[in-house]
Amino acid sequence: MSKAYLSLGSNLDPEANLRSGIDALRAQFGEIVLSPVYRTAAVGFRGDDFLNAAAVIETGLDPYALNAWLHALEDAHGRDRRGPRFGNRTLDIDIVLFDNRVLDGPGNLHIPRPELKHAFVLRPLAEIAPDVVVPDDGRTLSQMWVGHVDYDLPMEVVAI
């Protein structure tokens, strides 16, 4: 079994869509490790605030099959891929890390995920997997978060 570290987000009916996405992850992969949910401003475009979280799952799927499964889950939640790259999302779930793999593939699959540089991805992951070393970087998620420019900025925790 492999470990996949996921970033989850939504800014369209975010409470319902995140809750449903998390339920689907549990139904497919069993027990998951889930971070707190944070409210964050949209990045890269003007839009409603996002609710963001992170999850760790164990899976027998390879990264390509997992990415396809996650895209199908997003699509089932009404994800519209016709718009700009940065835009409103019903549900967005990305593989940020997958074991210690480094790869680029179809379906915008990049591991480690470049968005790891953003606080809304890094903080939740660092909270649930602080000792995980990021391939091609050498630092742990915790070390990356402590050194992040937004480390001292507050982030609102939201119950869903």
Side-chain angles (χ1 to χ4, degrees):
M1 296 291 275
S2 293
K3 279 194 179 182
Y5 302 81
L6 310 176
S7 176
L8 297 80
S10 173
N11 76 333
L12 297 174
D13 196 9
E15 292 89 353
N17 282 313
L18 267 188
R19 195 176 310 111
S20 178
I22 291 164
D23 289 346
L25 289 173
R26 286 184 174 128
Q28 179 69 22
F29 302 104
E31 190 69 29
I32 66 173
V33 178
L34 186 66
S35 76
V37 175
Y38 292 97
R39 181 179 310 282
T40 62
V43 172
F45 72 101
R46 289 185 182 199
D48 291 339
D49 287 350
F50 274 77
L51 294 186
N52 294 102
V56 180
I57 64 169
E58 290 194 4
T59 180
L61 298 175
D62 67 36
Y64 304 100
L66 177 59
N67 198 49
W69 188 90
L70 293 171
H71 279 187
L73 177 61
E74 292 170 343
D75 293 346
H77 283 79
R79 171 79 182 262
D80 184 357
R81 298 182 196 282
R82 295 171 297 168
R85 169 123 170 79
F86 297 102
N88 295 313
R89 302 278 191 262
T90 52
L91 186 62
D92 187 21
I93 304 179
D94 294 317
I95 305 168
V96 179
L97 300 169
F98 192 97
D99 290 335
N100 61 354
R101 306 266 308 260
V102 175
L103 63 89
D104 288 310
N108 200 31
L109 180 61
H110 306 287
I111 299 173
R113 191 88 183 160
E115 289 85 356
L116 189 56
K117 67 184 177 189
H118 296 297
F120 67 85
V121 174
L122 181 55
R123 180 176 180 174
L125 277 173
E127 289 183 351
I128 60 174
D131 298 326
V132 169
V133 175
V134 177
D136 277 0
D137 183 281
R139 294 178 293 167
T140 66
L141 289 168
S142 178
Q143 289 168 329
M144 290 178 72
W145 175 236
V146 168
H148 194 276
V149 65
D150 293 336
Y151 177 75
D152 290 324
L153 296 179
M155 288 175 70
E156 177 188 357
V157 176
V158 178
I160 61 167

